[in-house]
Amino acid sequence: MKVGREQAGKEFVEDRSDGEHVTHVPLLDLRMQYARIKDEVREAMDRVLESQRFILGPEVEALEKEVAEYSGCRWAVGVSSGTDALLVSLMALGIGPGDEVVTTPFSFFATAGAIVRLGARPVFVDIDPGTFNINPELAAAAVGSRTKALMPVHLFGQCADMDPLMEIARRHGLHIIEDAAQAIGAEYSGKRAGSMGTAGCFSFFPSKNLGAFGDGGMVTTNDADLAEKIKILRNQGAEPKYYHKVLGGNFRLDALQAAVLRVKLKHLDGWTEMRRANAAFYTSGLRDLWPGEPKVVPPPIRHERHIFNQYVIRTGDRDGLRDFLSRNGIDTEIYYPQALHKQQCLAHVISPHASFPVSEEASGSVLALPIYPELTDPQKSYIISKIKEFFD
């Protein structure tokens, strides 16, 4: 008996006791999400089309207020991508040539790329082996006379250990720029990601928990002056129009993207809880693989609200497991196969002798499983059964 639906262009057949098998479990299936909110999205997009106001405007302003409230911040500024959120935050804080920013080498490239683009230098410190997030003790030791900011990354949807990082910043008079691209709605000590530092930077890339229909981003802050600087910088540095006191860029968020995101934001908490439930299902189902010498290490939950943008396991035979799952129709991904200090284009700012063993070990052992909200229990059970089959 076939049970299932079309997924990623292939027929999906759930694993059943009558001998049927899953033929394909995608890493992410946005079509299922869209099917459930199609009418709301089209109504919102039609609203923009009827207005013919496509750049900034009321839709962006409304989204900014909604994201600020959701994130527990006073202000939010819509920008063109998560990368540009990092870049414009650094620009607004005056970080440039000769300055240093302490951050993690285990992240998406934009974390370091935004720093280097402004002529500043990323100072990498290794990660906590449990959470994949920056190690605060190592961050404290890395602060020097040129350090202007700390840039922790809330990787995979779990906040970095912010209390000691905030203390480091207070002690040395540093800014904290939270790279919260994967962490909208994540919480630490009752505070939302993006609300604890000087600025919080979010990505609305389609694969994120809150994803647009293209690129988009947001900067959150509790500093009114900083919010105003970012608004000016995102619009070519013009204030008023055609008068430029500072050099900015085109970092504006499109109204169509804002309209889509406003619809999705209403559903975000529900989707997040489904992701968290999927994570708990995996963790429970794989539990017998990690007593003693673990075959698989699950992602630990160290803070109260991990939103699971990714569910990332670690295993010694990562590549073998990934190949086996692929041959059995299960998509996975490696986030990230090469730590940032080993990226060729950063060789001029990173010592060739730099070594971050925990990050390097993570790059060789991490594997992300499908975690999107619409996964069914039979799909998750099939993934668990195949992981166990590989190790058996």
Side-chain angles (χ1 to χ4, degrees):
M1 177 177 66
K2 289 184 177 180
V3 178
R5 57 183 64 84
E6 287 292 314
Q7 293 201 14
K10 297 184 179 181
E11 185 182 62
F12 168 68
V13 185
E14 294 174 347
D15 192 42
R16 299 300 297 267
S17 59
D18 55 14
E20 299 260 358
H21 300 285
V22 173
T23 58
H24 184 230
V25 183
L27 185 68
L28 176 65
D29 189 351
L30 290 173
R31 295 186 308 175
M32 294 179 68
Q33 181 190 91
Y34 177 62
R36 298 178 182 183
I37 60 172
K38 181 187 298 185
D39 292 342
E40 294 176 77
V41 169
R42 288 184 173 181
E43 180 181 345
M45 294 181 75
D46 282 344
R47 187 170 64 238
V48 177
L49 295 175
E50 290 297 328
S51 75
Q52 290 293 291
R53 297 187 66 178
F54 298 113
I55 304 298
L56 299 179
E59 292 290 344
V60 173
E61 292 169 5
L63 177 67
E64 290 171 340
K65 291 178 181 178
E66 290 160 9
V67 169
E69 181 178 0
Y70 184 81
S71 299
C73 294
R74 296 176 66 188
W75 290 279
V77 183
V79 293
S80 41
S81 69
T83 299
D84 288 338
L86 294 169
L87 183 64
V88 76
S89 295
L90 290 162
M91 291 171 66
L93 293 171
I95 294 171
D99 296 333
E100 294 180 346
V101 179
V102 176
T103 190
T104 164
F106 192 64
S107 180
F108 180 63
F109 180 78
T111 304
I115 298 167
V116 176
R117 283 180 63 185
L118 294 176
R121 177 174 172 263
V123 176
F124 292 131
V125 299
D126 219 341
I127 57 175
D128 179 284
T131 65
F132 307 111
N133 286 326
I134 192 169
N135 184 316
E137 291 184 10
L138 297 177
V143 173
S145 60
R146 293 178 178 269
T147 307
K148 294 296 187 292
L150 308 178
M151 188 183 284
V153 179
H154 304 317
L155 201 65
F156 305 142
Q158 179 163 221
C159 287
D161 192 2
M162 290 298 293
D163 282 347
L165 294 172
M166 295 293 289
E167 177 56 31
I168 295 166
R170 282 190 290 269
R171 192 184 319 140
H172 296 281
L174 306 176
H175 298 294
I176 289 186
I177 301 170
E178 298 176 63
D179 185 339
Q182 301 177 6
I184 189 165
E187 294 179 4
Y188 175 96
S189 299
K191 297 178 181 178
R192 286 277 168 97
S195 71
M196 294 171 275
T198 313
C201 300
F202 296 93
S203 168
F204 300 134
F205 188 78
S207 64
K208 297 297 189 289
N209 291 32
L210 180 63
F213 283 4
D215 280 314
M218 188 77 70
V219 180
T220 54
T221 184
N222 291 305
D223 184 327
D225 291 339
L226 181 62
E228 186 60 29
K229 286 180 183 178
I230 292 171
K231 286 182 179 180
I232 293 170
L233 287 167
R234 73 174 172 184
N235 194 29
Q236 303 288 1
E239 180 61 30
K241 188 176 181 180
Y242 301 130
Y243 292 84
H244 304 261
K245 294 181 180 179
V246 294
L247 183 65
N250 180 1
F251 306 135
R252 301 179 299 236
L253 178 64
D254 291 345
L256 278 168
Q257 300 297 353
V260 170
L261 290 164
R262 292 185 67 201
V263 170
K264 288 192 169 190
L265 184 59
K266 298 173 186 176
H267 298 273
L268 180 58
D269 280 338
W271 292 336
T272 294
E273 290 313 306
M274 293 166 75
R275 285 175 178 268
R276 286 163 57 83
N278 289 344
F281 192 105
Y282 280 138
T283 300
S284 177
L286 294 169
R287 192 173 302 278
D288 57 353
L289 291 177
W290 50 74
E293 185 66 28
K295 297 182 176 73
V296 169
V297 179
I301 301 176
R302 296 283 176 83
H303 306 300
E304 57 262 46
R305 196 174 195 238
H306 189 325
I307 66 163
F308 287 100
N309 178 247
Q310 303 294 343
Y311 184 92
V312 177
I313 61 173
R314 286 177 290 158
T315 180
D317 190 7
R318 187 268 310 282
D319 294 340
L321 175 60
R322 189 182 192 207
D323 180 66
F324 179 79
L325 294 178
S326 178
R327 286 187 279 111
N328 283 276
I330 299 167
D331 291 350
T332 59
E333 188 55 271
I334 300 172
Y335 303 107
Y336 298 92
Q338 183 166 260
L340 296 179
H341 66 286
K342 290 183 172 292
Q343 297 291 346
Q344 183 177 349
C345 68
L346 299 182
H348 66 293
V349 293
I350 305 300
S351 167
H353 305 296
S355 176
F356 304 100
V358 183
S359 297
E360 290 163 20
E361 189 278 333
S363 293
S365 64
V366 293
L367 188 67
L369 304 179
I371 191 66
Y372 58 92
E374 297 81 10
L375 276 173
T376 65
D377 286 354
Q379 285 177 302
K380 291 174 288 187
S381 294
Y382 176 72
I383 293 169
I384 291 168
S385 71
K386 288 301 175 183
I387 293 174
K388 290 182 174 180
E389 181 181 331
F390 173 78
F391 286 108
D392 288 343

